[in-house]
Amino acid sequence: MSQLSVIGTGVIGNGWIARALAAGWDVVAFDPAPEAQERTRAFVDNAWPSLTRLGLAEGASPERLRFVSDINEAVVGADLIQENVPERLELKQEILAQLDATAPANVLIGSSTSGFKPSDLQLKCTQAPGRVIVAHPFNPVYLLPLVELVGGKATTPEHLATAHDDYKALGMRPLVVRREIEGHIADRLMEALWREALHLVNDGVATTEEVDAAVVYGCGLRWSLMGTFLTFHLAGGEQGMRHMLEQFGPALKLPWTKLEAPELTDELIDRVVEGCEFQAAGRSVATLDRRRDDFLVELLALVENYWPEAEGLEGRI
């Protein structure tokens, strides 16, 4: 039996809670926000049908969630601690220092930060700063398996090995990032696409719906299986990536993309918001969550069939 202690129960924190409960873990949660417990239980109820379709571990139950009113109480008995407070460095440092001072030194503390480097998160920790690492997941956490694990200056290979095993026990696909960098790996890639998408809308080239369609029916389908590099490897034909780079490499110098984000003017904000509202077509976020989850459950099963451990990646992710 294992216990996950979750600090902060926003969308990401609640995603960790739902995943851990489905894996048959006990979960202890702390969040000082009013009605946090009510929101979390509603979140878990909405996610549970999808988790049931994926397959629940023996003993899995939403009833194994317990809220506490004291952050120090939250880490009592924890096998793994996950911090999910708002993305403000000073706040994270303060919370992580408190967790580090309270929790036994052998218990790993993962931060869900999407941007900060672990060395910065460790700065105010004095008991066992090396066990404070980045453990960055992706929304919805209870379905998407990738978690980026990043160690800081005080982190040892043993800490990361422990993290790999802990998160794999939650059904995750841990990816150990070779060195710390702001934004880690996946968010840097997503931000590049996001900036370019904003330019396309801002310049009147496409609507939000048209940009999304380009991803959903084009590159996104390939990325689900092969990612960026292997997709381009195939684009080179029998000679693979080398031929692709010889053929299309010079195009990288052409002004096809804009790396800096456009100015977020009121006009651009209105275009983006109105476009997304049109796409949502009056459906609530909870309804769209369920639609996304149903799709991901089927897609995950398909990806697993074509991305077997025999590919030689087991142990690396």
Side-chain angles (χ1 to χ4, degrees):
M1 182 179 297
S2 300
Q3 176 185 309
L4 176 68
S5 293
V6 175
I7 311 300
T9 58
V11 171
I12 298 301
N14 284 337
W16 281 114
I17 289 171
R19 174 173 282 276
L21 292 171
W25 289 37
D26 292 319
V27 178
V28 178
F30 169 79
D31 192 318
E35 302 177 352
Q37 182 171 182
E38 180 181 342
R39 288 196 299 270
T40 294
R41 294 195 183 278
F43 183 100
V44 172
D45 288 344
N46 196 53
W48 207 252
S50 296
L51 289 165
T52 301
R53 287 179 62 195
L54 274 181
L56 301 174
E58 183 178 355
S61 170
E63 299 304 315
R64 296 178 71 169
L65 167 64
R66 178 169 60 93
F67 266 76
V68 294
S69 58
D70 186 292
I71 190 172
N72 294 328
E73 184 183 352
V75 302
V76 174
D79 294 289
L80 178 63
I81 301 168
Q82 192 71 26
E83 170 271 309
N84 315 278
V85 302
E87 199 78 348
R88 299 197 299 272
L89 182 57
E90 289 186 0
L91 175 61
K92 285 187 177 289
Q93 287 175 332
E94 176 185 343
I95 295 297
L96 289 167
Q98 186 173 355
L99 295 172
D100 175 60
T102 305
N106 65 321
V107 177
L108 192 84
I109 302 174
S111 173
S112 295
T113 180
S114 59
F116 297 129
K117 295 194 293 186
S119 291
D120 294 331
L121 299 177
Q122 296 171 350
L123 277 180
K124 297 183 179 180
C125 299
T126 57
Q127 180 184 192
R131 49 84 175 261
V132 177
I133 67 167
V134 167
H136 176 235
F138 297 84
N139 185 43
V141 182
Y142 53 90
L143 293 182
L144 297 185
L146 182 64
V147 57
E148 295 175 314
L149 303 179
V150 195
K153 293 177 181 177
T155 304
T156 66
E158 288 74 24
H159 285 124
L160 290 174
T162 297
H164 185 280
D165 292 344
D166 285 350
Y167 287 99
K168 194 165 185 180
L170 281 171
M172 304 296 282
R173 286 270 189 163
L175 173 60
V176 178
V177 179
R178 294 173 180 268
R179 64 182 181 89
E180 57 182 335
I181 185 175
E182 291 90 346
H184 325 314
I185 297 174
D187 269 4
R188 295 178 74 94
L189 297 172
M190 290 190 295
E191 281 295 316
L193 181 61
W194 173 232
R195 288 191 294 269
E196 192 64 25
L198 288 174
H199 275 293
L200 291 170
V201 173
N202 189 57
D203 295 346
V205 175
T207 65
T208 60
E209 184 180 18
E210 290 161 353
V211 171
D212 284 353
V215 175
V216 170
Y217 297 109
C219 52
L221 289 172
R222 299 182 301 190
W223 287 341
S224 294
L225 176 64
M226 295 184 174
T228 303
F229 284 100
L230 196 55
T231 292
F232 280 128
H233 177 65
L234 269 61
E238 291 299 323
Q239 298 177 57
M241 178 61 83
R242 184 170 299 280
H243 179 67
M244 198 286 297
L245 289 174
E246 291 172 351
Q247 188 81 2
F248 300 105
L252 294 173
K253 296 295 185 180
L254 298 176
W256 283 4
T257 61
K258 303 177 180 180
L259 294 181
E260 292 188 4
E263 184 72 24
L264 277 179
T265 62
D266 290 341
E267 181 182 3
L268 176 55
I269 290 172
D270 288 342
R271 282 192 197 178
V272 172
V273 171
E274 289 168 8
C276 291
E277 289 176 349
F278 174 78
Q279 290 176 257
R283 293 167 293 183
S284 69
V285 170
T287 299
L288 292 172
D289 278 347
R290 288 294 300 276
R291 181 173 181 268
R292 174 203 63 197
D293 292 357
D294 289 343
F295 171 78
L296 287 175
V297 167
E298 295 183 29
L299 182 61
L300 282 167
L302 185 62
V303 169
E304 286 299 315
N305 286 338
Y306 285 87
W307 187 260
E309 294 173 356
E311 294 282 352
L313 292 173
E314 181 64 8
R316 296 177 64 182
I317 61 170

